[in-house]
Amino acid sequence: TASFYKEPTPKKTLWKEPTPKTPQGAPVEFLHSISSTWTVGTTTYYRHKVVIKNTSAKPISDLKLLIENLSGSVWGLYPTGEKNTYELPQWFKVLNPGSECIFVYVQGGPQAKILIQSFH
């Protein structure tokens, strides 16, 4: 039998994940939302949109994120070669005060956990 792909109207689910703190106290905020869902067979998939916002008065560079419980694909970040570790694209190396960067990932099941591994 054939699988049918159905993508319903996007849900506007938005929640704010507590800002993870490294020993240096990285002032970065993560805003998660589910921008769409669909079902293939018996599995429901979620498109997670994550906004990374610099909430400090200083630029942040070389931000590396550890993403745990990720079972799907990521768009907008690049793997670093270290397990579960991603960084911003080369053309977006500095996150200025008040600015944002967006990435998305798709997976079934619960959202991934995003932590700051390092930054300058």
Side-chain angles (χ1 to χ4, degrees):
T1 63
S3 295
F4 292 95
Y5 171 83
K6 179 183 173 198
E7 186 169 334
T9 305
K11 295 179 182 179
K12 291 296 179 182
T13 306
L14 180 67
W15 61 93
K16 187 173 172 180
E17 184 173 286
T19 304
K21 299 288 185 186
T22 63
Q24 300 86 8
V28 174
E29 182 177 84
F30 298 101
L31 298 171
H32 284 256
S33 62
I34 295 175
S35 56
S36 66
T37 63
W38 63 95
T39 302
V40 176
T42 58
T43 305
T44 300
Y45 293 93
Y46 302 90
R47 181 181 183 271
H48 296 266
K49 175 182 169 185
V50 182
V51 177
I52 305 168
K53 183 173 183 179
N54 180 349
T55 57
S56 77
K58 296 180 181 180
I60 295 174
S61 62
D62 299 317
L63 180 64
K64 288 187 180 177
L65 303 175
L66 179 64
I67 304 180
E68 298 176 345
N69 304 321
L70 179 65
S71 62
S73 299
V74 176
W75 292 271
L77 295 178
Y78 288 92
T80 63
E82 297 175 50
K83 185 178 179 184
N84 302 328
T85 304
Y86 297 83
E87 62 187 352
L88 300 180
Q90 292 294 326
W91 49 266
F92 205 147
K93 279 299 201 182
V94 176
L95 194 60
N96 288 312
S99 66
E100 300 176 345
C101 178
I102 297 171
F103 72 93
V104 299
Y105 63 94
V106 173
Q107 67 183 25
Q111 77 180 43
K113 184 175 184 179
I114 302 166
L115 303 166
I116 296 170
Q117 185 178 48
S118 64
F119 72 98
H120 291 99

